[in-house]
């Protein structure tokens, strides 16, 4: 069986010691921010905040620290905090309005992500993410197929346990953010 090539970015599946119970925090995306954002995209702190006090985020790079992963997008922080009226899966580039994102920013969260390729010997190794545009619905980010670098963004914990998944090209892996903003001792 060959794995399907269907990247969806990073999807939270559990925490290190428990199931993922939907915890996420509200962040803002600045009006006019020039990059589209989608559910499944990794983000970093932008060093700004909205007028109503929500810290800002921007799209992460393919190397370096990560603040968390987007799991919801909307135009109102009130409804975002209650997971109600999540009215979009993609925030368009250069939108003139402030948007809000629900971000899983727990350093102990475990995510499923599609890898370029993976073998059983890659479990326990580290790899960076690969930036890719969203498809209009979800993120296109994947995990690079090069493992072992200590300073890479993600630690591979294993193969996602599903019948439609096996080691090889496009394997879906379980990863933890290795370079998390909330666990790093250096500045953002």
């Amino acid at each position: 069986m060959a794995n399907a090539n269907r990247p969806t970015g990073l999807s939270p599946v559990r925490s290190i010691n428990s199931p993922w119970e939907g915890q996420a925090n509200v962040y803002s995306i600045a009006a006019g921010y020039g990059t589209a954002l989608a559910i499944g995209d990794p983000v970093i702190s932008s060093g700004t905040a909205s007028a109503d006090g929500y810290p800002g985020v921007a799209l992460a790079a393919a190397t370096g620290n990560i603040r968390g992963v987007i799991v919801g997008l909307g135009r109102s922080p009130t409804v975002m905090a209650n997971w109600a009226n999540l009215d979009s899966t993609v925030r368009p580039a250069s939108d003139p309005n402030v948007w809000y994102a629900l971000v899983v920013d727990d350093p102990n969260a475990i995510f499923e992500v599609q890898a370029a390729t993976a073998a059983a010997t890659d479990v326990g190794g580290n790899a960076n993410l690969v930036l890719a545009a969203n498809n209009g619905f979800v993120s296109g980010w994947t995990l690079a197929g090069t493992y072992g670098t200590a300073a890479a963004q993600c630690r591979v914990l294993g193969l996602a346990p599903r019948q439609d998944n096996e080691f090889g090209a496009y394997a879906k892996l379980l990863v933890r953010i290795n370079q998390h903003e909330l666990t790093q001792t250096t500045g953002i």
Side-chain angles (χ1 to χ4, degrees):
M1 161 190 71
N3 296 318
N5 181 11
R6 280 186 293 238
T8 58
L10 292 99
S11 301
V13 293
R14 62 185 174 94
S15 186
I16 287 178
N17 297 316
S18 64
W20 181 64
E21 296 176 351
Q23 299 90 344
N25 289 307
V26 178
Y27 288 84
S28 63
I29 303 164
Y33 177 63
T35 303
L37 293 170
I39 291 176
D41 282 348
V43 292
I44 59 171
S45 295
S46 66
T48 63
S50 60
D52 49 3
Y54 291 94
V57 291
L59 190 66
T63 60
N65 288 347
I66 297 171
R67 179 60 176 222
V69 174
I70 295 175
V71 293
L73 290 162
R75 295 181 182 99
S76 166
T78 306
V79 296
M80 294 293 288
N82 297 319
W83 288 77
N85 283 344
L86 299 179
D87 54 7
S88 184
T89 59
V90 174
R91 180 242 176 227
S94 304
D95 189 292
N97 302 300
V98 173
W99 277 59
Y100 297 88
L102 281 172
V103 176
V104 175
D105 57 4
D106 178 1
N108 292 317
I110 296 173
F111 299 91
E112 181 178 312
V113 63
Q114 179 177 299
T117 187
T121 55
D122 297 321
V123 173
N126 298 323
N128 283 319
L129 294 166
V130 177
L131 170 66
N134 68 73
N135 65 8
F137 300 99
V138 294
S139 173
W141 284 71
T142 59
L143 192 68
T146 306
Y147 302 91
T149 307
Q153 291 171 310
C154 295
R155 164 81 37 99
V156 178
L157 303 176
L159 187 68
R162 297 195 331 234
Q163 287 185 326
D164 64 342
N165 190 36
E166 62 186 22
F167 285 113
Y170 313 127
K172 308 305 186 276
L173 299 178
L174 298 177
V175 300
R176 180 175 172 263
I177 296 174
N178 190 43
Q179 289 185 309
H180 201 289
E181 283 183 9
L182 296 176
T183 60
Q184 300 296 312
T185 58
T186 58
I188 298 170

